[in-house]
Amino acid sequence: MSRQLAPAGANQGEAAGEPQQEQPQESLPITEEEVYGYREQDRFLPINNIQRLMKRSLPDSSKISKDAKECIQEATSEFISFITSEAADRATSEKRKTITGDDILNALKTLGFDEMSEVLLIYLAKYREVSFHFQTLPADL
């Protein structure tokens, strides 16, 4: 559901017989109506994953209400969107289309989640190390 508009006057060359130049398209921000037009499962993390993560943090005898699961589901999905949006802004400002792990770490710091970014910096370093070793394995294994 991508909405893009061509800049004003983009079709003027057509009528004058001039060759049409490709104009960059600008994305419009998504409105609240469009957000709520998506199905819930398209907007939020799966509730089963949320439940599993919540249960890991609690004693085995604990129970979690449906409302609590849904509240956490919406909050985590919103948090991820918030961080991703900040990271995307950085990538865009640097004329890149790909958001990197470093963009996410920078977004966390920018938004005041310094402690979380330090933990994720360690995770990212370990992930890169494992990923590098996996890519260098001989093909005949």
Side-chain angles (χ1 to χ4, degrees), residues 21-108:
Q21 295 179 4
E22 194 169 315
Q23 299 287 330
Q25 294 183 342
E26 298 176 23
S27 295
L28 293 177
I30 296 174
T31 64
E32 262 189 59
E33 291 173 354
E34 290 173 319
V35 169
Y36 290 106
Y38 286 103
R39 296 177 308 176
E40 201 169 270
Q41 61 262 34
D42 294 337
R43 292 184 9 226
F44 299 139
L45 295 169
I47 196 79
N48 289 338
N49 295 357
I50 299 294
Q51 179 178 343
R52 189 176 337 110
L53 290 169
M54 290 176 77
K55 282 188 173 188
R56 285 184 191 169
S57 305
L58 300 170
D60 291 337
S61 60
S62 298
K63 294 184 180 181
I64 306 167
S65 73
K66 182 179 178 184
D67 287 349
K69 288 183 248 182
E70 289 174 354
C71 182
I72 294 295
Q73 179 187 38
E74 190 166 343
T76 54
S77 298
E78 187 66 29
F79 178 75
I80 291 168
S81 295
F82 182 55
I83 300 299
T84 304
S85 175
E86 183 68 28
D89 288 348
R90 179 179 181 207
T92 301
S93 72
E94 295 177 2
K95 296 181 175 32
R96 293 184 288 113
K97 293 183 179 181
T98 303
I99 297 171
T100 66
D102 292 326
D103 293 328
I104 298 294
L105 293 172
N106 185 274
L108 287 166

Coordinates of all heavy atoms in Angstrom, one line a residue, residues 21-108:
Q21 N 11.0 13.7 -18.6 CA 12.1 13.4 -17.7 C 11.5 12.7 -16.5 O 10.5 13.0 -16.0 CB 12.9 14.6 -17.2 CG 13.6 15.3 -18.4 CD 14.3 16.5 -17.9 OE1 14.3 16.8 -16.7 NE2 14.8 17.3 -18.8
E22 N 12.3 11.7 -16.0 CA 11.8 10.9 -14.8 C 12.0 11.8 -13.6 O 13.1 12.3 -13.3 CB 12.6 9.6 -14.7 CG 11.9 8.7 -13.7 CD 12.6 7.4 -13.7 OE1 12.8 6.8 -14.9 OE2 12.8 6.8 -12.7
Q23 N 10.9 12.1 -12.9 CA 10.9 12.9 -11.7 C 11.0 12.1 -10.5 O 10.3 11.0 -10.4 CB 9.6 13.8 -11.7 CG 9.5 14.7 -12.8 CD 10.5 15.9 -12.8 OE1 10.8 16.3 -11.7 NE2 10.9 16.4 -13.9
P24 N 11.7 12.5 -9.5 CA 11.7 11.7 -8.2 C 10.4 11.8 -7.6 O 9.7 12.8 -7.7 CB 12.8 12.4 -7.4 CG 13.0 13.7 -8.0 CD 12.6 13.6 -9.4
Q25 N 9.9 10.7 -7.0 CA 8.6 10.7 -6.4 C 8.8 10.9 -4.9 O 9.7 10.3 -4.3 CB 7.9 9.4 -6.7 CG 7.6 9.3 -8.1 CD 6.8 8.0 -8.4 OE1 6.8 7.1 -7.6 NE2 6.1 7.9 -9.5
E26 N 7.9 11.6 -4.3 CA 7.9 11.9 -2.8 C 6.9 11.0 -2.1 O 5.8 10.9 -2.6 CB 7.6 13.3 -2.5 CG 8.6 14.3 -3.1 CD 8.3 15.7 -2.9 OE1 7.5 16.0 -2.0 OE2 8.7 16.6 -3.7
S27 N 7.3 10.4 -1.1 CA 6.4 9.6 -0.3 C 5.6 10.5 0.7 O 6.2 11.3 1.3 CB 7.1 8.5 0.5 OG 7.7 7.6 -0.4
L28 N 4.3 10.2 0.8 CA 3.5 11.0 1.8 C 3.5 10.2 3.1 O 3.6 9.0 3.1 CB 2.1 11.1 1.3 CG 1.9 12.0 0.0 CD1 0.5 12.0 -0.4 CD2 2.4 13.4 0.3
P29 N 3.5 10.9 4.2 CA 3.4 10.2 5.5 C 2.1 9.4 5.6 O 1.1 9.8 5.0 CB 3.4 11.3 6.5 CG 3.2 12.6 5.8 CD 3.4 12.4 4.4
I30 N 2.1 8.3 6.3 CA 0.9 7.4 6.4 C 0.0 8.1 7.4 O 0.4 8.5 8.5 CB 1.4 6.0 6.9 CG1 2.2 5.4 5.8 CG2 0.2 5.2 7.2 CD1 2.8 4.1 6.2
T31 N -1.2 8.2 7.1 CA -2.2 8.7 8.0 C -2.7 7.7 9.0 O -2.5 6.5 8.8 CB -3.4 9.3 7.2 OG1 -4.1 8.1 6.6 CG2 -3.0 10.3 6.2
E32 N -3.3 8.2 10.1 CA -3.9 7.3 11.1 C -4.9 6.4 10.5 O -5.0 5.2 10.9 CB -4.5 8.1 12.3 CG -3.5 8.2 13.4 CD -4.2 8.8 14.7 OE1 -5.2 8.2 15.1 OE2 -3.7 9.8 15.1
E33 N -5.7 6.9 9.6 CA -6.8 6.0 8.9 C -6.1 4.9 8.2 O -6.6 3.7 8.3 CB -7.6 6.9 8.0 CG -8.5 7.9 8.6 CD -9.1 8.8 7.6 OE1 -8.8 8.7 6.4 OE2 -9.9 9.7 8.1
E34 N -5.0 5.1 7.6 CA -4.3 4.0 6.8 C -3.7 3.0 7.8 O -3.8 1.8 7.5 CB -3.2 4.6 5.9 CG -3.8 5.3 4.7 CD -2.7 6.0 3.9 OE1 -1.8 6.6 4.5 OE2 -2.8 6.0 2.7
V35 N -3.2 3.5 8.9 CA -2.6 2.6 9.9 C -3.7 1.6 10.4 O -3.5 0.4 10.5 CB -1.9 3.4 11.1 CG1 -1.6 2.4 12.2 CG2 -0.7 4.1 10.6
Y36 N -4.8 2.2 10.8 CA -5.9 1.4 11.3 C -6.6 0.6 10.3 O -7.4 -0.3 10.6 CB -6.8 2.2 12.2 CG -6.2 2.7 13.4 CD1 -5.8 4.0 13.6 CD2 -5.9 1.8 14.4 CE1 -5.1 4.4 14.7 CE2 -5.2 2.2 15.6 CZ -4.8 3.5 15.7 OH -4.2 3.9 16.9
G37 N -6.3 0.8 9.0 CA -6.9 0.1 7.9 C -6.2 -1.3 7.7 O -6.7 -2.2 7.1
Y38 N -5.0 -1.4 8.3 CA -4.3 -2.7 8.2 C -4.9 -3.7 9.2 O -5.4 -3.3 10.3 CB -2.8 -2.5 8.6 CG -2.0 -1.9 7.5 CD1 -1.6 -0.5 7.6 CD2 -1.5 -2.5 6.4 CE1 -0.9 0.1 6.6 CE2 -0.8 -2.0 5.4 CZ -0.5 -0.6 5.5 OH 0.3 0.0 4.6
R39 N -4.7 -4.9 8.9 CA -5.2 -6.0 9.9 C -4.2 -5.9 11.1 O -3.0 -5.6 10.9 CB -5.2 -7.3 9.2 CG -6.2 -7.5 8.1 CD -6.1 -8.8 7.5 NE -4.7 -9.0 7.1 CZ -4.2 -10.2 6.5 NH1 -5.0 -11.2 6.3 NH2 -3.0 -10.3 6.2
E40 N -4.7 -6.3 12.2 CA -3.9 -6.3 13.4 C -2.7 -7.1 13.3 O -1.6 -6.7 13.7 CB -4.8 -6.7 14.6 CG -4.2 -6.3 15.9 CD -5.2 -6.5 17.1 OE1 -6.0 -5.6 17.3 OE2 -5.1 -7.6 17.6
Q41 N -2.8 -8.3 12.7 CA -1.6 -9.1 12.5 C -0.6 -8.6 11.6 O 0.6 -9.0 11.6 CB -2.0 -10.6 12.1 CG -2.7 -10.7 10.8 CD -4.2 -10.7 10.9 OE1 -4.8 -10.2 11.8 NE2 -4.8 -11.5 10.0
D42 N -0.9 -7.6 10.8 CA 0.0 -6.9 9.9 C 0.8 -5.8 10.6 O 1.8 -5.4 10.2 CB -0.7 -6.3 8.7 CG -1.2 -7.4 7.8 OD1 -0.7 -8.6 7.8 OD2 -2.2 -7.1 7.0
R43 N 0.1 -5.3 11.7 CA 0.7 -4.1 12.4 C 1.5 -4.5 13.7 O 2.4 -3.8 14.1 CB -0.4 -3.2 12.9 CG -1.1 -2.5 11.8 CD -2.1 -1.5 12.2 NE -2.2 -1.2 13.6 CZ -3.3 -1.1 14.3 NH1 -4.4 -1.3 13.8 NH2 -3.2 -0.8 15.6
F44 N 1.2 -5.6 14.3 CA 1.8 -6.0 15.5 C 2.6 -7.3 15.4 O 2.4 -8.1 14.5 CB 0.7 -6.2 16.6 CG -0.1 -5.0 16.9 CD1 -1.5 -5.1 17.0 CD2 0.4 -3.8 17.0 CE1 -2.3 -4.0 17.3 CE2 -0.3 -2.6 17.3 CZ -1.7 -2.8 17.4
L45 N 3.5 -7.5 16.4 CA 4.2 -8.7 16.5 C 3.2 -9.8 16.8 O 2.2 -9.6 17.5 CB 5.3 -8.6 17.6 CG 6.4 -7.6 17.3 CD1 7.2 -7.4 18.6 CD2 7.3 -8.1 16.2
P46 N 3.5 -11.1 16.5 CA 2.6 -12.2 16.8 C 2.4 -12.3 18.3 O 3.4 -12.3 19.1 CB 3.3 -13.4 16.2 CG 4.2 -12.9 15.1 CD 4.6 -11.5 15.6
I47 N 1.2 -12.5 18.7 CA 0.8 -12.5 20.2 C 1.5 -13.7 20.8 O 1.9 -13.7 22.0 CB -0.7 -12.5 20.4 CG1 -1.0 -12.2 21.9 CG2 -1.3 -13.8 20.0 CD1 -0.9 -10.8 22.2
N48 N 1.6 -14.9 20.1 CA 2.3 -16.0 20.7 C 3.8 -15.8 21.0 O 4.3 -16.2 22.1 CB 2.2 -17.2 19.7 CG 0.8 -17.8 19.7 OD1 0.0 -17.6 20.6 ND2 0.5 -18.5 18.6
N49 N 4.4 -15.0 20.2 CA 5.8 -14.7 20.5 C 5.9 -13.7 21.7 O 6.8 -13.9 22.6 CB 6.5 -14.0 19.3 CG 6.6 -14.9 18.1 OD1 6.3 -16.1 18.1 ND2 7.1 -14.3 17.0
I50 N 5.0 -12.8 21.8 CA 4.9 -11.9 22.9 C 4.7 -12.7 24.2 O 5.4 -12.5 25.2 CB 3.8 -10.9 22.8 CG1 4.0 -10.0 21.5 CG2 3.6 -10.0 24.0 CD1 5.2 -9.1 21.6
Q51 N 3.7 -13.6 24.2 CA 3.4 -14.4 25.3 C 4.6 -15.3 25.8 O 4.9 -15.3 27.0 CB 2.2 -15.4 25.0 CG 1.8 -16.3 26.1 CD 0.6 -17.1 25.8 OE1 -0.1 -16.9 24.8 NE2 0.4 -18.2 26.5
R52 N 5.3 -15.9 24.8 CA 6.5 -16.7 25.1 C 7.6 -15.8 25.8 O 8.1 -16.2 26.8 CB 7.0 -17.3 23.9 CG 8.1 -18.3 24.1 CD 8.6 -19.1 22.9 NE 7.7 -19.1 21.8 CZ 7.9 -18.4 20.6 NH1 9.0 -17.6 20.4 NH2 7.0 -18.5 19.6
L53 N 7.8 -14.6 25.3 CA 8.8 -13.8 25.9 C 8.4 -13.3 27.3 O 9.2 -13.2 28.2 CB 9.1 -12.5 25.0 CG 9.8 -12.8 23.7 CD1 9.7 -11.6 22.8 CD2 11.2 -13.3 23.9
M54 N 7.1 -13.0 27.5 CA 6.6 -12.6 28.8 C 6.8 -13.7 29.8 O 7.2 -13.5 30.9 CB 5.2 -12.1 28.7 CG 5.0 -10.8 27.9 SD 3.3 -10.3 27.7 CE 2.9 -9.7 29.4
K55 N 6.4 -14.9 29.4 CA 6.4 -16.1 30.3 C 7.9 -16.4 30.8 O 8.1 -16.8 31.9 CB 5.8 -17.3 29.7 CG 4.3 -17.3 29.7 CD 3.7 -18.6 29.2 CE 2.2 -18.6 29.4 NZ 1.6 -19.9 29.2
R56 N 8.9 -16.1 29.9 CA 10.3 -16.4 30.3 C 10.7 -15.5 31.4 O 11.6 -15.8 32.2 CB 11.2 -16.1 29.1 CG 11.2 -17.2 28.1 CD 12.2 -16.9 27.0 NE 12.0 -17.8 25.8 CZ 12.6 -17.6 24.7 NH1 13.4 -16.6 24.5 NH2 12.4 -18.4 23.7
S57 N 10.1 -14.3 31.6 CA 10.4 -13.3 32.6 C 9.7 -13.6 33.9 O 10.0 -12.9 34.9 CB 10.1 -11.9 32.1 OG 10.7 -11.7 30.9
L58 N 8.8 -14.5 33.9 CA 7.9 -14.7 35.1 C 8.1 -16.1 35.7 O 8.5 -17.0 35.0 CB 6.5 -14.4 34.7 CG 6.1 -13.1 34.2 CD1 4.7 -13.1 33.6 CD2 6.3 -12.0 35.3
P59 N 7.8 -16.2 37.0 CA 7.8 -17.6 37.5 C 6.8 -18.5 36.8 O 5.8 -18.0 36.3 CB 7.3 -17.3 39.0 CG 7.5 -15.9 39.3 CD 7.4 -15.2 37.9
D60 N 7.0 -19.8 36.9 CA 6.1 -20.7 36.2 C 4.7 -20.6 36.6 O 3.8 -20.9 35.8 CB 6.6 -22.1 36.3 CG 7.9 -22.4 35.6 OD1 8.2 -21.6 34.6 OD2 8.7 -23.3 36.0
S61 N 4.4 -20.3 37.9 CA 3.1 -20.2 38.4 C 2.3 -19.0 38.0 O 1.1 -18.9 38.2 CB 3.1 -20.3 39.9 OG 3.8 -19.2 40.4
S62 N 3.0 -18.0 37.3 CA 2.3 -16.8 36.9 C 1.4 -17.0 35.7 O 1.6 -17.8 34.9 CB 3.3 -15.7 36.6 OG 4.2 -15.5 37.7
K63 N 0.4 -16.2 35.7 CA -0.6 -16.2 34.6 C -0.6 -14.7 34.0 O -0.4 -13.8 34.7 CB -2.0 -16.6 35.0 CG -2.0 -18.0 35.4 CD -3.4 -18.4 35.8 CE -3.4 -19.9 36.2 NZ -4.8 -20.3 36.5
I64 N -0.8 -14.6 32.7 CA -0.8 -13.3 32.0 C -2.2 -13.2 31.4 O -2.6 -14.0 30.6 CB 0.3 -13.2 31.0 CG1 1.6 -13.6 31.6 CG2 0.3 -11.9 30.3 CD1 2.7 -13.8 30.5
S65 N -2.9 -12.1 31.7 CA -4.2 -11.8 31.1 C -4.1 -11.5 29.6 O -3.0 -11.0 29.2 CB -4.9 -10.7 31.8 OG -4.3 -9.4 31.5
K66 N -5.2 -11.6 28.9 CA -5.2 -11.3 27.5 C -4.9 -9.8 27.3 O -4.2 -9.5 26.4 CB -6.6 -11.7 26.9 CG -6.7 -11.5 25.4 CD -8.0 -11.9 24.9 CE -8.1 -11.6 23.4 NZ -9.4 -11.9 22.9
D67 N -5.5 -9.0 28.1 CA -5.3 -7.5 28.0 C -3.8 -7.2 28.2 O -3.3 -6.3 27.5 CB -6.1 -6.8 29.1 CG -7.6 -6.8 28.8 OD1 -7.9 -7.1 27.7 OD2 -8.3 -6.3 29.7
A68 N -3.1 -7.8 29.1 CA -1.7 -7.6 29.4 C -0.9 -8.0 28.1 O 0.0 -7.2 27.7 CB -1.2 -8.3 30.6
K69 N -1.2 -9.1 27.6 CA -0.5 -9.6 26.4 C -0.7 -8.6 25.2 O 0.3 -8.2 24.5 CB -0.9 -10.9 25.9 CG -0.4 -12.0 26.9 CD -0.9 -13.4 26.3 CE -1.9 -14.0 27.3 NZ -2.3 -15.3 26.9
E70 N -1.9 -8.1 25.0 CA -2.2 -7.2 23.9 C -1.6 -5.9 24.2 O -1.1 -5.2 23.2 CB -3.7 -7.1 23.8 CG -4.4 -8.3 23.2 CD -5.9 -8.3 23.2 OE1 -6.5 -7.3 23.7 OE2 -6.5 -9.2 22.6
C71 N -1.5 -5.4 25.4 CA -0.9 -4.2 25.7 C 0.6 -4.2 25.4 O 1.1 -3.3 24.8 CB -1.1 -3.8 27.2 SG -0.4 -2.3 27.7
I72 N 1.3 -5.3 25.8 CA 2.7 -5.4 25.5 C 2.9 -5.6 24.0 O 3.8 -5.0 23.4 CB 3.3 -6.6 26.3 CG1 3.3 -6.4 27.8 CG2 4.7 -7.0 25.8 CD1 4.2 -5.2 28.2
Q73 N 2.0 -6.3 23.4 CA 2.1 -6.5 21.9 C 2.1 -5.1 21.2 O 2.9 -4.9 20.3 CB 0.9 -7.4 21.4 CG 0.9 -7.6 19.9 CD -0.3 -8.3 19.5 OE1 -1.4 -8.1 20.0 NE2 -0.2 -9.2 18.5
E74 N 1.2 -4.3 21.6 CA 1.1 -3.0 20.9 C 2.3 -2.1 21.3 O 2.8 -1.4 20.4 CB -0.2 -2.3 21.3 CG -0.5 -1.1 20.5 CD -1.9 -0.6 20.6 OE1 -2.8 -1.3 21.1 OE2 -2.2 0.6 20.2
A75 N 2.7 -2.1 22.5 CA 3.8 -1.3 23.0 C 5.1 -1.7 22.3 O 5.9 -0.8 21.9 CB 3.9 -1.4 24.5
T76 N 5.4 -3.0 22.2 CA 6.6 -3.4 21.6 C 6.6 -3.1 20.1 O 7.6 -2.7 19.5 CB 6.9 -4.9 21.8 OG1 5.7 -5.7 21.4 CG2 7.2 -5.2 23.2
S77 N 5.5 -3.3 19.5 CA 5.4 -3.0 18.0 C 5.6 -1.5 17.8 O 6.3 -1.1 16.9 CB 4.1 -3.4 17.5 OG 3.9 -4.8 17.6
E78 N 5.0 -0.7 18.7 CA 5.2 0.8 18.5 C 6.6 1.2 18.8 O 7.2 2.0 18.1 CB 4.3 1.5 19.5 CG 4.2 3.0 19.4 CD 3.7 3.5 18.1 OE1 2.8 2.8 17.5 OE2 4.1 4.6 17.6
F79 N 7.3 0.6 19.8 CA 8.7 0.8 20.1 C 9.6 0.5 18.9 O 10.5 1.3 18.5 CB 9.1 0.0 21.3 CG 10.6 0.3 21.7 CD1 11.0 1.4 22.3 CD2 11.5 -0.7 21.5 CE1 12.3 1.6 22.7 CE2 12.8 -0.5 21.8 CZ 13.2 0.6 22.4
I80 N 9.4 -0.6 18.3 CA 10.2 -1.0 17.2 C 10.0 0.0 16.0 O 10.9 0.4 15.4 CB 9.8 -2.5 16.7 CG1 10.3 -3.4 17.8 CG2 10.4 -2.8 15.3 CD1 9.8 -4.9 17.6
S81 N 8.7 0.4 15.8 CA 8.5 1.4 14.7 C 9.1 2.7 15.0 O 9.7 3.4 14.1 CB 7.0 1.6 14.6 OG 6.3 0.4 14.2
F82 N 9.1 3.1 16.3 CA 9.7 4.4 16.7 C 11.2 4.4 16.5 O 11.8 5.3 15.9 CB 9.4 4.5 18.2 CG 9.9 5.8 18.9 CD1 9.6 7.0 18.4 CD2 10.7 5.7 20.0 CE1 10.1 8.2 19.0 CE2 11.1 6.9 20.6 CZ 10.8 8.1 20.1
I83 N 11.9 3.3 16.9 CA 13.4 3.2 16.7 C 13.7 3.1 15.2 O 14.6 3.7 14.7 CB 13.9 2.0 17.5 CG1 13.7 2.1 19.0 CG2 15.4 1.8 17.2 CD1 14.3 3.3 19.6
T84 N 12.9 2.3 14.5 CA 13.2 2.1 13.1 C 13.0 3.4 12.3 O 13.8 3.7 11.4 CB 12.3 1.0 12.5 OG1 12.5 -0.2 13.3 CG2 12.5 0.7 11.0
S85 N 12.0 4.1 12.7 CA 11.8 5.4 12.0 C 13.0 6.4 12.2 O 13.4 7.0 11.2 CB 10.5 6.1 12.5 OG 10.3 7.3 12.0
E86 N 13.5 6.4 13.4 CA 14.7 7.3 13.6 C 15.9 6.8 12.8 O 16.6 7.5 12.3 CB 15.0 7.3 15.1 CG 16.1 8.2 15.5 CD 15.9 9.6 15.4 OE1 14.7 10.1 15.4 OE2 16.8 10.4 15.1
A87 N 16.1 5.5 12.8 CA 17.2 4.9 12.1 C 17.0 5.1 10.6 O 18.0 5.4 9.9 CB 17.3 3.4 12.3
A88 N 15.8 5.1 10.1 CA 15.5 5.3 8.6 C 15.8 6.8 8.3 O 16.3 7.1 7.2 CB 14.1 5.0 8.3
D89 N 15.5 7.7 9.2 CA 15.8 9.1 9.0 C 17.3 9.3 8.8 O 17.8 10.0 7.9 CB 15.3 10.0 10.1 CG 13.8 10.1 10.2 OD1 13.2 9.7 9.1 OD2 13.3 10.6 11.2
R90 N 18.1 8.6 9.6 CA 19.6 8.7 9.5 C 20.1 8.2 8.2 O 20.9 8.8 7.5 CB 20.2 8.0 10.7 CG 21.8 8.1 10.6 CD 22.4 7.4 11.7 NE 23.9 7.5 11.6 CZ 24.7 6.7 12.1 NH1 24.3 5.6 12.8 NH2 26.0 6.9 11.9
A91 N 19.6 7.0 7.8 CA 20.0 6.4 6.6 C 19.6 7.3 5.4 O 20.4 7.5 4.5 CB 19.4 5.0 6.4
T92 N 18.4 7.8 5.4 CA 18.0 8.7 4.4 C 18.8 10.0 4.3 O 19.2 10.4 3.2 CB 16.5 9.1 4.6 OG1 15.7 7.9 4.6 CG2 16.0 10.0 3.5
S93 N 19.2 10.5 5.5 CA 20.0 11.7 5.5 C 21.4 11.5 4.9 O 22.0 12.4 4.4 CB 20.1 12.3 6.9 OG 20.9 11.5 7.7
E94 N 21.8 10.2 5.0 CA 23.1 9.8 4.4 C 23.0 9.2 3.0 O 23.9 8.6 2.5 CB 23.8 8.8 5.4 CG 24.2 9.4 6.7 CD 24.8 8.5 7.7 OE1 25.0 7.3 7.3 OE2 25.1 8.9 8.8
K95 N 21.8 9.4 2.5 CA 21.5 9.0 1.1 C 21.6 7.5 0.9 O 22.1 7.0 -0.1 CB 22.3 9.7 0.1 CG 22.0 11.2 0.0 CD 22.8 11.9 -1.0 CE 22.4 13.4 -1.2 NZ 22.0 14.2 -0.2
R96 N 21.2 6.7 1.9 CA 21.2 5.2 1.9 C 19.8 4.7 2.0 O 19.0 5.3 2.6 CB 22.1 4.7 3.0 CG 23.5 5.0 3.0 CD 24.3 4.3 4.1 NE 24.1 4.9 5.4 CZ 23.4 4.4 6.4 NH1 23.0 3.1 6.3 NH2 23.2 5.0 7.5
K97 N 19.6 3.6 1.4 CA 18.3 2.9 1.4 C 18.2 1.8 2.4 O 17.2 1.3 2.8 CB 17.9 2.4 0.0 CG 17.7 3.5 -1.0 CD 17.2 2.9 -2.3 CE 17.0 4.0 -3.3 NZ 16.5 3.5 -4.6
T98 N 19.4 1.4 2.9 CA 19.4 0.2 3.8 C 19.7 0.7 5.2 O 20.6 1.5 5.5 CB 20.5 -0.8 3.4 OG1 20.3 -1.2 2.1 CG2 20.6 -2.0 4.3
I99 N 18.9 0.3 6.2 CA 19.1 0.6 7.6 C 20.1 -0.5 8.1 O 19.8 -1.7 8.0 CB 17.8 0.5 8.4 CG1 16.8 1.6 7.9 CG2 18.0 0.7 9.9 CD1 15.4 1.5 8.4
T100 N 21.1 -0.1 8.8 CA 22.1 -1.0 9.4 C 21.9 -1.1 10.9 O 21.2 -0.3 11.5 CB 23.5 -0.5 9.1 OG1 23.8 0.7 9.8 CG2 23.8 -0.3 7.6
G101 N 22.6 -2.1 11.4 CA 22.7 -2.2 12.9 C 23.2 -1.0 13.6 O 22.7 -0.6 14.6
D102 N 24.2 -0.4 12.9 CA 24.7 0.9 13.5 C 23.7 2.0 13.5 O 23.7 2.8 14.4 CB 26.0 1.3 12.7 CG 27.1 0.3 12.9 OD1 27.3 -0.2 14.0 OD2 27.9 0.1 12.0
D103 N 22.8 2.0 12.5 CA 21.7 3.0 12.5 C 20.8 2.8 13.7 O 20.3 3.8 14.3 CB 20.9 2.9 11.2 CG 21.7 3.4 10.0 OD1 22.6 4.2 10.1 OD2 21.5 2.8 8.9
I104 N 20.5 1.6 14.0 CA 19.6 1.2 15.1 C 20.3 1.7 16.4 O 19.6 2.3 17.2 CB 19.3 -0.3 15.1 CG1 18.5 -0.7 13.9 CG2 18.5 -0.6 16.4 CD1 17.1 -0.1 13.7
L105 N 21.6 1.4 16.5 CA 22.3 1.8 17.8 C 22.3 3.3 17.9 O 22.1 3.8 19.0 CB 23.7 1.2 17.7 CG 23.8 -0.3 17.8 CD1 25.3 -0.7 17.6 CD2 23.3 -0.8 19.1
N106 N 22.5 4.0 16.8 CA 22.5 5.4 16.9 C 21.2 6.0 17.2 O 21.0 6.9 18.0 CB 23.0 6.0 15.5 CG 23.2 7.5 15.6 OD1 22.2 8.2 15.3 ND2 24.4 7.9 15.8
A107 N 20.1 5.4 16.7 CA 18.7 5.8 17.0 C 18.4 5.6 18.5 O 17.8 6.5 19.1 CB 17.7 5.0 16.1
L108 N 18.9 4.5 19.0 CA 18.6 4.2 20.5 C 19.3 5.3 21.3 O 18.7 5.8 22.2 CB 19.1 2.9 20.8 CG 18.3 1.7 20.4 CD1 19.1 0.4 20.5 CD2 17.0 1.6 21.1

